Amino acid sequence: MTTQYVGQPVSRVDGRQKTTGAATYAAEFEQTNVAHAAILRSTVASGRLTVDTSLAERAPGVIAVLTHRNAPKLPYRPHKGAVDPEMDERLHVLQDDRVTHQGQPIGLVVAQTVEQAIHAVSLVRVTYRPEAAITDVARAQVVMPTQQKTDQGEKRPPQTGRGDAQAALASADVKVDQRYVIPRENHNPIEMHATIAAWDGDRLTLWDKSQWVNNVAEEIAAVFGVPPENVRVVSPFVGGAFGSGLRTWPHVTLAALGARVAKRPVKVMLTRREMYYGVGYRPHTVQRVAIGASKDGRLTALIHDGHQETSTYEEYSEALVNASRFLHSCPNVYTRQRIARMNIHTPTYMRAPGECSGVFALECGMDELAVALKIDPVELRVRNEPAQDEFKRLPFSSRATRECYRVAAERFGWSRRTSSPRSMRDGRWLIGWGMATATYPMNYAPASAMARLLPDGTADVMSASSDMGPGTWTSMTQVAAETLGLPIENVRFHLGDTRLPKAPVHGGSMTMASVGSAVQAACRKARDDALGQAGGTDLAEAIRRIGKPIEVSADVKPGDEGKRFSMHAFGAVFVEVAVDPDLGETRVRRIVGAYGAGRVVNPKTARSQCIGGMIGGIGMALMEHTVVDLRNGRVVNANLAEYAVPVLADTPQVMDLTFVEENDPNVNPLGVKGLGEIAMVGVAPAIANAVYHATGKRIRELPITPDKLL
Ligand code: MOS
């Protein structure tokens, strides 16, 4: 494969549209005669409710007030997308008088204007018969999941072991055994979730903010009992999501319900406050990591035991302890993952779900062990490099950890680090240097694409994928132009519409691998077809001679490579922090990351992805904390004034990135491993480890706020 475009830093093909405001987001698909809806949400965590809507119904501009008393009964046929918890059932909206969590949708007002809808919501009188609720994870019962979840098509056992970790820990020369806590965190994309719904008979169109249009169509079809082909979902632009757009949340159903009752298009847009109740969140986790080692720094025991919050109505769990099974070599390993069911809404995937939280605990534990052993943290990891995946007992398809440590350490200047805490200073600032290992699975799912070659020498290439920010529009255009052998400006890529060939969820860092491979396959076939018909090697010339469009579709799916290889991206993250000894403020000064993530299709958008992940990691380490009122499950800081996220002033001057060259044809046809999520893994533990090095204080409960350092 020549690489005229693949591997080149092509600027975003949709950059002009985005920067000039020409890009259309879900709430901006203006419909004639659109009505606006606002959602009424419960203010208790559990109980039964009665409503009096008489005042609201008489309010100006009100078209309909829907509650469980008058909302149409919906079929809610069975439907599970890959992003839905396998156990239990999604929230059924407005179908009965039961409240299971704070912020549950219990009513919908449709009105002429959004202000009228919001006003009328305030006029609905709700009376609750509260019931006992569990809203504090410390009081919740922690249980084993009832079913094994699937990761990469494989079962994820809630409990695994090799050797005897308990005994090995008891007899270890050196050991650490600690508890790490990460609070709930919420996705805060700039664009709030929004849906416009319009019915035409029993056909429905949804303009929706989504990371998976195909699943939205299938789910809403199941909810309303119409054939999936009757539902079209359009979502060309997504203003950030980080996982909040993976599932089809209740407001999508409410928009369709409102439109059906009002008999006109209805728009629902969540407020920033509603983002904390309406679209899931990264669950609060509590983890024990215990590591034992011999004096020479070889791991002899590893126990990683964690649990996370979930709702009463769905059993959500994520890959919290997975990485501990293979990241470092150790003969005696025990992992367990449990859940705590509570009167809260269901959490969901948030950037690097599971790995981000689990690797935080593991990599802080490794740093604590390095201190106990008096061994350099990088050296400790190098001494425990596994020859293969010791959990699956399979070779890694590729694993660039050593190279990542070497490159990142060198670029960071790690050899100049003095090992004792509080030994490095810059004026009055305490300087700390810390590091961590990163990993994220290579995910590759079935995908389809179509290429249409036109006699004018241009091509339309398409797949129903999304682009929530990584640059999918651009990278797919690159793959298509490269494969077709056409100038990139003559290739148009189309996504975000269920009318296009089916794509998997735009999540799990799998889009480049999956949709990219499908695009490559479709373009290869189209080129072969055209050249086969017309001869020659110049595709534009061939299609001109053929004189009519050529359309070719292709489907790709993983083969048996997962049975032969353990497939993951790996990386190393090094961080410099400065801590103000009087104020306890932590500033991240430098982040240096090196990643082995397979082929990098576009180093410019890849770099942008990684910078975003690093900044996300700063938020996780130092700021983000959804404060839940433990008495009633209410989110106390459901706004961007009090839920702190990093802003430009919080980003380091130096964010240095290296993509270690990796040629891994085994993972998928394109040889890519995905970058969206590994970029965030490892950042928070590297920061926590740097804070320890700066201050001598080991903070095991995120976020590391000044009060914890004083
Ligand atoms: Mo990502 S949490 O799979 O959008």
Side-chain angles (χ1 to χ4, degrees):
M1 194 172 181
T2 56
T3 54
Q4 193 178 357
Y5 299 118
V6 168
Q8 298 304 312
V10 175
S11 292
R12 287 176 192 257
V13 297
D14 52 341
R16 174 172 284 271
Q17 276 169 288
K18 281 186 165 168
T19 50
T20 58
T24 310
Y25 294 82
E28 300 175 324
F29 282 88
E30 288 311 333
Q31 304 300 308
T32 50
N33 200 32
V34 72
H36 298 265
I39 299 169
L40 172 66
R41 292 180 183 271
S42 75
T43 56
V44 301
S46 180
R48 303 272 182 165
L49 65 95
T50 53
V51 286
D52 175 355
T53 57
S54 50
L55 264 181
E57 281 160 23
R58 292 198 300 272
V62 168
I63 298 163
V65 181
L66 296 178
T67 67
H68 69 280
R69 288 191 318 173
N70 63 342
K73 290 291 166 241
L74 295 172
Y76 274 102
R77 289 183 187 156
H79 169 79
K80 293 283 185 206
V83 287
D84 296 317
E86 286 159 62
M87 285 303 289
D88 310 324
E89 182 50 29
R90 75 193 73 256
L91 194 67
H92 291 193
V93 286
L94 313 189
Q95 301 294 294
D96 60 38
D97 67 347
R98 184 166 281 286
V99 174
T100 67
H101 61 274
Q102 184 77 236
Q104 178 181 323
I106 54 172
L108 185 78
V109 174
V110 183
Q112 303 291 353
T113 69
V114 67
E115 292 81 4
Q116 289 168 333
I118 291 168
H119 176 61
V121 159
S122 75
L123 299 176
V124 179
R125 293 209 184 113
V126 186
T127 313
Y128 299 96
R129 269 187 294 127
E131 293 170 5
I134 297 167
T135 48
D136 178 355
V137 75
R139 288 167 195 271
Q141 202 190 343
V142 178
V143 296
M144 299 291 277
T146 52
Q147 189 176 314
Q148 298 189 7
K149 177 90 183 119
T150 306
D151 292 317
Q152 287 181 294
E154 293 160 25
K155 287 293 178 195
R156 181 212 303 161
Q159 181 165 225
T160 69
R162 60 177 180 263
D164 186 341
Q166 301 289 355
L169 183 69
S171 62
D173 294 345
V174 178
K175 59 192 121 179
V176 293
D177 189 346
Q178 295 292 351
R179 187 169 170 271
Y180 302 89
V181 178
I182 303 172
R184 183 187 297 185
E185 297 167 0
N186 276 85
H187 316 72
N188 269 295
I190 298 291
E191 181 203 16
M192 268 87 74
H193 280 256
T195 308
I196 301 171
W199 288 92
D200 176 10
D202 67 348
R203 296 190 161 269
L204 173 67
T205 304
L206 296 165
W207 293 268
D208 185 34
K209 169 172 177 144
S210 173
Q211 291 173 245
W212 197 8
V213 291
N214 295 111
N215 188 55
V216 174
E218 284 165 22
E219 176 165 332
I220 295 300
V223 170
F224 284 84
V226 300
E229 59 273 19
N230 282 20
V231 184
R232 180 184 176 198
V233 181
V234 181
S235 182
F237 291 97
V238 174
F242 316 108
S244 65
L246 295 166
R247 294 194 71 190
T248 309
W249 298 109
H251 68 271
V252 185
T253 298
L254 288 169
L257 196 60
R260 178 183 264 188
V261 171
K263 298 189 168 50
R264 56 195 268 196
V266 162
K267 182 197 286 193
V268 173
M269 184 163 135
L270 301 190
T271 60
R272 182 60 63 180
R273 178 174 171 72
E274 284 185 288
M275 291 290 290
Y276 292 78
Y277 294 107
V279 295
Y281 50 90
R282 190 192 298 280
H284 176 100
T285 51
V286 179
Q287 303 175 73
R288 176 190 175 207
V289 166
I291 316 177
S294 58
K295 283 197 191 73
D296 65 348
R298 287 186 203 279
L299 303 197
T300 54
L302 171 59
I303 296 171
H304 191 170
D305 186 1
H307 63 268
Q308 56 194 188
E309 59 184 348
T310 189
S311 66
T312 56
Y313 56 94
E314 281 177 312
E315 186 174 293
Y316 171 83
S317 72
E318 59 193 25
L320 189 61
V321 297
N322 281 25
S324 292
R325 298 171 188 161
F326 64 84
L327 192 55
H328 305 300
S329 176
C330 182
N332 302 292
V333 177
Y334 173 77
T335 69
R336 180 170 66 165
Q337 172 166 17
R338 293 183 297 167
I339 51 172
R341 302 200 81 145
M342 295 161 58
N343 291 93
I344 54 176
H345 60 299
T346 310
T348 196
Y349 303 111
M350 181 166 152
R351 201 168 193 173
E355 276 76 12
C356 229
S357 305
V359 169
F360 169 74
L362 175 65
E363 290 303 285
C364 286
M366 286 294 281
D367 200 70
E368 301 205 40
L369 181 69
V371 171
L373 285 163
K374 298 188 171 64
I375 294 178
D376 176 86
V378 179
E379 177 56 28
L380 176 65
R381 285 164 176 83
V382 170
R383 282 189 203 175
N384 290 284
E385 262 295 290
Q388 63 163 6
D389 180 328
E390 295 174 357
F391 173 61
K392 290 185 179 169
R393 297 191 186 161
L394 289 175
F396 292 106
S397 62
S398 55
R399 174 173 165 128
T401 32
R402 281 174 190 276
E403 184 64 0
C404 290
Y405 296 138
R406 191 189 65 73
V407 170
E410 192 179 303
R411 295 181 71 88
F412 187 85
W414 185 257
S415 61
R416 296 195 303 276
R417 180 180 187 261
T418 52
S419 64
S420 336
R422 302 181 74 95
S423 63
M424 295 173 73
R425 281 177 190 261
D426 174 15
R428 49 186 292 280
W429 291 87
L430 299 168
I431 300 298
W433 288 6
M435 60 81 58
T437 311
T439 187
Y440 193 80
M442 192 297 299
N443 289 321
Y444 171 32
S448 305
M450 184 174 87
R452 184 188 294 128
L453 309 180
L454 303 175
D456 67 359
T458 67
D460 289 296
V461 182
M462 57 208 79
S463 179
S465 192
S466 301
D467 184 353
M468 66 169 147
T472 304
W473 289 97
T474 311
S475 53
M476 296 304 156
T477 309
Q478 290 174 261
V479 172
E482 180 85 44
T483 312
L484 291 168
L486 290 177
I488 197 164
E489 56 277 10
N490 289 353
V491 177
R492 294 168 296 266
F493 188 71
H494 306 268
L495 54 69
D497 192 325
T498 46
R499 289 187 172 169
L500 306 175
K502 237 177 168 176
V505 61
H506 180 54
S509 297
M510 70 173 81
T511 298
M512 197 68 243
S514 315
V515 180
S517 295
V519 164
Q520 186 188 46
C523 290
R524 199 170 270 163
K525 272 212 250 173
R527 180 180 166 84
D528 290 351
D529 259 29
L531 296 179
Q533 282 182 43
T537 55
D538 182 339
L539 184 68
E541 176 54 33
I543 187 76
R544 234 188 314 278
R545 255 186 284 144
I546 292 165
K548 59 180 196 318
I550 287 193
E551 251 180 42
V552 174
S553 297
D555 308 314
V556 294
K557 62 173 197 297
D560 69 345
E561 57 274 8
K563 292 197 171 64
R564 293 181 288 126
F565 297 106
S566 171
M567 300 178 290
H568 306 265
F570 293 94
V573 188
F574 288 71
V575 166
E576 175 177 326
V577 299
V579 180
D580 186 313
D582 302 313
L583 302 175
E585 183 193 12
T586 300
R587 307 291 302 168
V588 178
R589 289 191 170 180
R590 292 191 294 142
I591 305 184
V592 176
Y595 304 93
R599 170 186 270 173
V600 174
V601 170
N602 185 329
K604 190 172 187 178
T605 51
R607 178 179 152 76
S608 164
Q609 266 294 75
C610 289
I611 288 174
M614 287 172 170
I615 295 169
I618 294 173
M620 183 179 198
L622 302 179
M623 299 170 195
E624 296 191 48
H625 183 183
T626 304
V627 181
V628 180
D629 186 329
L630 298 179
R631 298 167 304 175
N632 55 27
R634 198 175 72 91
V635 176
V636 176
N637 59 341
N639 58 73
L640 282 178
E642 294 162 294
Y643 183 100
V645 296
V647 298
L648 197 57
D650 299 306
T651 63
Q653 297 257 311
V654 176
M655 283 187 277
D656 180 89
L657 280 156
T658 306
F659 300 113
V660 167
E661 188 135 342
E662 206 167 51
N663 181 14
D664 189 342
N666 291 310
V667 288
N668 53 62
L670 269 182
V672 302
K673 288 182 175 175
L675 265 174
E677 318 205 47
I678 190 172
M680 189 163 163
V681 181
V683 178
I687 292 172
N689 296 340
V691 167
Y692 170 78
H693 183 238
T695 64
K697 287 193 175 135
R698 186 64 74 174
I699 309 302
R700 303 183 183 90
E701 181 159 357
L702 295 181
I704 304 170
T705 43
D707 53 301
K708 293 175 184 163
L709 290 174
L710 291 176

